[in-house]
Amino acid sequence: MPAATASGANATPNGNTKSRDHNQGNQDKKYTVEQKAAVIRVRRCSATAFYEILGLEKSCSDAEVKKAYRKLSLLTHPDKNGYEGADEAFKLVSRAFQVLSDAEKKQKYDRYGGDPDNRFNPSSAPSASPFGGFARSPGGGRGPMFEDEISPEELFNRFFGGGGMGGGPFGGFDTGPQFVFNLGGGPGFRVHQFGGGRPRRRPQEANGNSERAPQSAMSVLSNLLPLLILFVLPLLSSIFSSSAPSGPSIRFDTPEPPYTMHRTTPNLRVDYFLNPAEVEDYSNRNFRDLDRKAEHSYVTNLQYDCQLEMRTRNRMMDDAQGSQAPSTAAPNGDERSEGVSTAQSPQTSSPPVPDHKEPTTPKIKISNSTASSRAPENSFARLGVKPSPGDTGNNVAPSTGMNRLTGKQLAPEQRRPSSTAGENLHEWEDKVLRGIFRIILNPSTNADGHGHHLYNVPSVRADLEEQGQPIRLSTSVLDQAILEVSSASGNIVPLKYLLRCWKRVIGQWKHFKSHKAEESKLDILKEAKRLCMSYCIFAITMPEMFGREQTDSSPLIPHLLVDPEDDEGICHDFLTEAVSRFAEDDTIEPALVKAVEDLSRELAKKTMNDDYKPYVLALRHLVRYPPLVKAISHSSIFVPLSTSAADLEATTLLGPFFAISPLQADITTQYFSSPKTRDRAFITNSQQALRMTLTTHQHDLLDIVNHIVKSDKSARDRMLDWFATCVNKNHKRRALQVDKKLVSSDGFMINMAVCLDQLCEPFMDATFSKVDRIDVEYLRRQPRIDIKDETKLNMDQHAAEKFYGEPVEGTNNFISEVFFLTLAAHHYGTEATNQTMSQLEKDLKRMEKHIEEIQLDRHKWINNPAQLNMFDTAVKKYKDQIDKGISYKYAVQGVLLDEQMQARSIQFVRYVAVWLLRLVSRTQFPKQPLRLPLDSDPSNFFGALPEYFLEAVVGAYRFVMRNMRWTVSSTQSDELIILCITFLRNSEKIKNPYLKAGLVTILFTGIWPGLNRPKGVLGDLLMGLPIATEHLLHALMKFYIEVENTGAHTQFYDKFNIRFEIFQIIKCIWDNRIYRENLDRESKANVDFFVRFVNLLLNDVTFVLDESLTAFQQIHNLSQELQNPQHIEPTARQEKEEALSAAKGKAKSYMQLTNETVAMLKLFTEALADAFTMPEIVQRLADMLDYNLDALVGPKSSELKVEDPQEYDFQPKALLSEILDVYLNLRNKESFILAVARDGRSYKPANFQKATAIFQVRAKGLKSPQELQAWTELGKKFQKAKEADDQAEEDLGEVPEEFLDPLVYTLMTDPVILPTSKTTMDRSTIRSHLLSDPNDPFNRSPLRIEDVIPDTALKAQIEAFKAEKRGASLARANIMDTTPG
C-alpha cells in the first residue's frame, strides 16, 4: 500500500484533488484482530446508541464509563489502528464518552434519547454524526453558529495552527483565527470552535493552482486581533496591576506538603491544592476569588505549555529528519548545543556564546517534573489529548526548500534532507549522517539554521584528504568521527551528546523502515545505530576512553531521571537495544544494574517531601525488560544476607522505594501542623490528600513488583525472597515494647502488605474456587516465612519443633508462597501498626496528664527569670513531642482508613477464614456445611499453625468493624460468623483466651446499630443463619465460663469486659424464639454445663451489685463530710477528696456492668427457671436477691442518694424493677420460695411491702397492677414458708453434730464421702463448692463430683432422725388439740 501523504491524498504524478481517494492517514498501520473487531462492532451501532457503543448497561457507574472509554479509545484510535473505519469508530466512542461522562447530558439522554446537544431540533431524528451536537445558524448565515465537537487530535491542530489558515466553511475565503475554549475539565472534555477554518481541508491541486492571493495587512491584522486580545491583554493587566502580593500559592494535579488543602473550582471543575496556613483567615468571598484565579492560572499555563510542546515537537521532528531549517528555540532554556553541560546559543558564523536567559514565567506547580532539561510535557496528555502525528508544525516545504512564512528560498545546507532525483546514495549518506550526529567537515560554520551547534572533525577531514577520498561523511569514517567529537575538550558530555544522536538515528531508522526505503539506506542507518549504541555503552562503562574520569555514581542516573522521550532520556529503543547485547557484551548488564543500585541509594536519602517520583518512574520503566529484571534481581543488594530490620529500607535495592510514605519523619508534621488547633474538617482533608499521594505511589510499587514477578522464575523467586526477608527480620514489631530503632518503619511495612494484598487478588474469587491451591504442607517444605519462634494455636514449642522437623517432599506453588507471605505481612505490618497506634494513644494521654501536673509547679520559679526560662523551654520541648505524636497518629489514621486498602484486606482475610475452616473441619467448606461440634483431628495440623494466622483475621475484622463498618457487606459476612461460632463452640482448638475474646469482639462490634441497620452488619445474619441459631448461645455461654481464668494478671478485669460484650450479643438475639427453645432443650440435656454457667452469673451479679452500691454509699458519705471543708484538716481533706474521686470512678466502672448483668439474670431466670432452682444454686440466688433488695429499699437505702446519678448511669428504680422481675420469674418454684424464707440474714417481709409502696407512689408505670398483685402474693408465700420452716426447725430440736454439713452447718439430705479426705458432706454443698474450686476443701486434692461416695448408712440415720422428730411433733400436736370432735 502506498504511503499516505501529510494531506491524506494519494499523490500520483498527474493526480489532482478530483482524481485522488481521500485517506484517513492510517492505511500503512497494522491492526490486530481485537482492533478490527472493535471497529466493526462500534460502527454497527447507531450514532446515538451511546451505551451500546461503550458496551455498558444503563445502570453503569461513572468509573465504568471511564474504564470502557479508556479501553475502546486505545483500540480504535487511528494512530494505533490501521483498519478501515477506525477514524469513524474513534469518533463514535469519543462522543459516547462525552455524553455519558457528563451527568447533566447523561440524564437528558436517559430521559429523552437522542443526542442531548441537538438543542435546536430536539424532536427530529438524531444526527448521523457523533459530533453533530450543535445546529447551524438559522437562515443560512455566514458560518456555523457553533462548530461541531471535535476529536482531541483536531483540537491540537486547530489550537496551534494545524490547518487554521485553510479555507473557511464556505471554501472561498479565510474566516480568521480560531478560538478554542475548554468547557469542562477531565477526560473527554468538550471543546468548541468559534470562527476559523474547518478542521480538515480538501487536498490542494498538485500543480499548486489553488494558491490563494496574499492577504492585505488589514486582513492579517484583523485575523490576528483575537489572538492579540487573548495573549496581550493578560500581559498588560499584569503590568498595570498592583504590586501587592497576589495571594496564596496554588498547586495542581497532586497534593504535596504543605499543599494539602483540596478545592475544586465551580465552573471548570479544576482540582487544586493550597497551603492551609496561607488561607486560615479566608472568607467565602476570598475563596470564590481564589477559585477564579486558579481557573485563570490553569488555562494560561495550559496555553503556555502547549506552545512549548508544539515547538519542542517541531524541533524533534526536524532533528529526526535531519532538518536544518531555522526555528526559534523553545522558551524553556533547552540546550541548543549537543551534549554541552551549560546552555549555549551558537550563532551561524561565530563561536558559541552564552545564551541569554528567557523571561521568567510565573511558576504554577502543575507536575512533579524534576529536570530542567526534560522536554515540556504535553499539557493535555492527562486529559486524553495527543498531537496529530502528521502535524509537525514545520514551516519549510520539503520539496521546494521554500519557507512558507517568508516565501524565501533556503540555502542548501538549511533545507530538510530529501531524496532528490539527482542525489546519489553517497550524498544521501553524508547528508543523513551529518544531520544525525551534527558533524561538519567544513570548518566555515559551527551551527545550522536552527542554531544547533555543529561539531568540526578536522582529523577525519585530514584523513580523507590524505587518502584522496571525497570530503563527506560515511559509515566507514563515522566511528572515528564520533570518537573525535566525544573526546573533544571543553564542556561536552559524551553520553549526553550520544543519547541525543541516538534519538535522531532511531527516528530516522523508524521513518525509513516504515516507508520501506531501499535496503542500502537501511543498512547505512543500521550501522549508524549500531555505532551510536556502542559508543553510548563506552561512555557508560569506559569514560576514560573519551578522556573522562570514572565517577562513583553511574553516568546513567541523570538520564534515567528524565522522561524517556526527552532528548537526553533513556528511551524504550535504547534499552531494547542494550538488553539485546547482553550476550555479546558482558559490560552492559553490570552497568545497567549499577545504575539501578545507584538510583536506589540516591532515593534512600529522600522522603515523600522530596522529588522522589522520577526515581520510581525510572524503575517502572526499567523493569519492563525481562533480561534486565533478571539481572537486577541478582544484584548483591537485592536480598543482602546480613541486613538488619532497620536497614532494610536503606540498603536493599527495593527498600528505598517501599520506604516512601507519608509516615516518614517530618512528613506528618507537614500534613498536620499544629494538630491541637485543627478542626475535624482540616484533619479529614489532610488525610484525604495524604491517601491520594500514597495510593498513587502504591500503584507504582505494585506495577514494579508485578513486572518482576512475571518476567522470569528466578526473578520471581528473588522477589519472594525479598518479601520473606522483610517479614522474617521484623518479628520484633509484635513485641510488647517495640524499639523503633531496631525494626522497619510502619510506612515501609504497610506498603509491602498492600502490595502483597494486590498480588493475591487474582486467585481470590468470590466462590473460593482456588482455595484448595493453598497447600498447608508448604509450612513443612522449607517455607520462606520463619514460624519457628511463633506461638502456635494449640501446640507447645517442643511438639511444634517435632512436627515441623519432619520435612515433606514436593514443590511449593506461587499461590501458596504469596498467601503465607501476605499473612505474615498483615501480622508484622498493618496489625503491628494498629498495635502501635493503640499504645501511642495511651502514651499521649499519659504525657498530656504529666504536662498538666508539671505546669502546676510553674509558680515556684516565677521570681527567678533564669530558672523560669529553663522551665518554659523544657515544657515547650515536651509539648512539641506531644504535637509530633498527635500528627503521627492522624497520619497513621489517614493511611489505615483507606477504604480501598481495607476492602482488599477484608477480601484477603475472608479467604484466610475459609481456608482455616476447611483445615480444621477437614471438609470442602463452603461447598459442604460444617457440623458442630467438630471431631478431633489426629494430625492436629490446625493446632500447629502460628497463632497469627487466626489473629490476622480477627485483627482485620475488628479494626474494620470499629472504624469502617460500612465497608463490610452482609453477603461477605457468613464466613466470618461461622468462623467465630466454630472456634467459640470448639474453644479447645485454641489455647489463647484473648484470641477467642477477639472473636466475641467481632460479633459485638458487628451488632452495633448504624447505617440504617438497627442490629448492625451482623445482627440480621445472626437472627437467621442456621448454624447461629443452633450453636451461638451455647458457644457464648461456654466462653463465659472459660474466661473466668485467663491466666493473665489482669484476668479479673478482663473477664468483666468480655462478659459485657457477651451480654450485648445475647440481648441482640434473645427476641428470636428459636434461640430460647434450643437453649431450654440443651439445659435439660447438659445439666452440669448450665449449673456452672448459672453459678458464675450469680457470682458476677453479687460482686458488681455489691461494688456498685458500696461505691454509692461512699460517694454519699464523703460528699456529706466535705460540705463543710473548713472543719477538716488540709491533709485529711485531701485524702477524702482523693477517696471521693476513686469512689466515683469505681461507680462509673461497675454500674454499667451491673445493669447488664442484672438484665441477663432476668432473661435467663425467665427462660431457665429450673436451672436456677437446683439445690446447689437456689440458696445463693435467694440470699443475693434478698441482700440487694434490702440495700435498695431498706434502712440504708438513703445512703445511695448521690448528686447527678445519671453521671454514673445509676437508675435505682429501674434496677429495683429488674430485681423484682427475677423474683417473679421464679415465684412458682417451691425450692426458691423455701430458700428465700430460710435466708436468715437479709430476708425481711417489710422490704417487700416497701417495694410495693415505691412502685405505687414514686415509680408509677414501671410495674403493672397485675405485676404488683403477683408481687404482693409472692410476699405472702415467703411469710408462710418462713413460718413453716421455723416450725420444722423447732420440731427437729437439737440436731446431732454428725448430721450437719461441716461447711454450712445445715442438716444434710444427701450425705456423700469425699474420697481423699474421707469427710462427709451434703451433695449440694460439695457440688456448689466445685463450681468455683475443683479441689477437696479439706486437703486441696483434685476432686470431681463423680468421685464422691454416697453415704447411704448416714442418710438412713438422718431420715430416721427426721421421721422420729416429725412423729413426736405430730403427737404433741394431737395432745394439744383438745377441741371437741
Side-chain angles (χ1 to χ4, degrees), residues 1358-1368:
I1358 294 173
E1359 290 297 330
F1361 170 76
K1362 289 163 63 177
E1364 179 186 351
K1365 293 296 182 180
R1366 281 196 299 270

Side-chain angles (χ1 to χ4, degrees), residues 856-869:
L856 294 176
D857 295 333
R858 190 176 186 276
H859 66 278
K860 297 179 180 179
W861 320 107
I862 201 70
N863 296 321
N864 189 334
Q867 292 289 335
L868 183 63
N869 183 57

Side-chain angles (χ1 to χ4, degrees), residues 1060 1063-1064 1067 1100-1101 1104-1105 1108-1109 1112 1147-1163 1205-1206 1208-1216 1218-1219:
F1060 174 80
F1063 291 155
Q1064 301 307 307
K1067 284 171 64 178
D1100 289 349
V1101 173
V1104 296
L1105 263 173
S1108 300
L1109 298 180
F1112 287 123
K1148 288 179 182 178
S1149 300
Y1150 282 112
M1151 198 59 226
Q1152 186 179 19
L1153 189 59
T1154 297
N1155 293 333
E1156 296 300 330
T1157 309
V1158 173
M1160 281 299 101
L1161 183 63
K1162 173 187 171 182
L1163 292 179
Q1206 291 78 16
Y1208 315 99
D1209 197 19
F1210 180 39
Q1211 303 175 44
K1213 296 183 182 66
L1215 181 60
L1216 178 61
E1218 300 233 310
I1219 290 178

Side-chain angles (χ1 to χ4, degrees), residues 862-928:
I862 201 70
N863 296 321
N864 189 334
Q867 292 289 335
L868 183 63
N869 183 57
M870 291 175 61
F871 178 87
D872 289 342
T873 301
V875 168
K876 184 180 183 304
K877 287 183 179 179
Y878 203 80
K879 287 183 175 179
D880 289 343
Q881 289 299 315
I882 294 176
D883 282 352
K884 277 188 175 181
I886 296 173
S887 297
Y888 187 78
K889 180 184 76 171
Y890 287 150
V892 173
Q893 288 174 346
V895 171
L896 294 180
L897 295 178
D898 183 341
E899 289 189 17
Q900 190 175 14
M901 167 187 164
Q902 292 299 338
R904 282 194 295 261
S905 175
I906 290 300
Q907 182 187 15
F908 173 74
V909 297
R910 183 178 173 221
Y911 223 77
V912 177
V914 170
W915 181 77
L916 288 173
L917 289 171
R918 289 167 65 94
L919 183 64
V920 74
S921 66
R922 293 176 293 161
T923 65
Q924 295 298 310
F925 178 82
K927 294 179 181 179
Q928 298 176 356

Side-chain angles (χ1 to χ4, degrees), residues 1007-1202:
I1007 63 171
W1008 285 355
L1011 303 174
N1012 299 319
R1013 296 174 174 176
K1015 292 183 179 293
V1017 178
L1018 303 181
D1020 292 334
L1021 285 175
L1022 292 177
M1023 296 295 281
L1025 203 62
I1027 195 172
T1029 57
E1030 186 175 354
H1031 296 288
L1032 177 58
L1033 263 179
H1034 183 99
L1036 293 173
M1037 292 167 65
K1038 182 177 182 181
F1039 190 57
Y1040 187 100
I1041 296 170
E1042 288 181 10
V1043 81
E1044 180 72 17
N1045 297 296
T1046 63
H1049 67 282
T1050 58
Q1051 68 177 16
F1052 182 77
Y1053 301 100
D1054 293 337
K1055 71 177 182 181
F1056 287 116
N1057 293 328
I1058 296 168
R1059 286 171 176 171
F1060 174 80
E1061 294 180 353
I1062 291 175
F1063 291 155
Q1064 301 307 307
I1065 300 169
I1066 293 175
K1067 284 171 64 178
C1068 175
I1069 62 176
W1070 194 256
D1071 292 339
N1072 190 332
R1073 179 176 52 82
I1074 300 175
Y1075 276 105
R1076 299 196 300 273
E1077 291 175 352
N1078 289 340
L1079 184 65
D1080 181 62
R1081 189 164 48 251
E1082 193 169 356
S1083 68
K1084 296 173 181 176
N1086 197 349
V1087 176
D1088 287 343
F1089 172 80
F1090 276 83
V1091 168
R1092 293 178 63 197
F1093 170 76
V1094 169
N1095 179 69
L1096 292 174
L1097 181 60
L1098 290 180
N1099 287 346
D1100 289 349
V1101 173
T1102 303
F1103 175 80
V1104 296
L1105 263 173
D1106 186 57
E1107 290 294 311
S1108 300
L1109 298 180
T1110 302
F1112 287 123
Q1113 290 174 351
Q1114 292 174 345
I1115 294 171
H1116 174 81
N1117 295 333
L1118 289 169
S1119 299
Q1120 293 287 334
E1121 293 176 15
L1122 290 172
Q1123 284 183 352
N1124 298 310
Q1126 62 273 16
H1127 301 299
I1128 307 175
E1129 292 293 330
T1131 304
R1133 184 176 69 249
Q1134 183 177 355
E1135 291 177 355
K1136 290 181 181 297
E1137 288 174 348
E1138 291 176 355
L1140 178 60
S1141 177
K1144 287 182 177 180
K1146 183 179 178 181
K1148 288 179 182 178
S1149 300
Y1150 282 112
M1151 198 59 226
Q1152 186 179 19
L1153 189 59
T1154 297
N1155 293 333
E1156 296 300 330
T1157 309
V1158 173
M1160 281 299 101
L1161 183 63
K1162 173 187 171 182
L1163 292 179
F1164 277 98
T1165 52
E1166 180 183 13
L1168 304 172
D1170 290 339
F1172 283 87
T1173 53
M1174 287 186 288
E1176 51 266 50
I1177 295 295
V1178 67
Q1179 192 60 55
R1180 291 187 58 234
L1181 173 61
D1183 293 347
M1184 182 272 296
L1185 290 173
D1186 291 340
Y1187 175 81
N1188 288 290
L1189 179 64
D1190 185 55
L1192 290 171
V1193 303
K1196 294 185 177 181
S1197 60
S1198 60
E1199 296 181 4
L1200 299 178
K1201 293 181 180 179
V1202 294

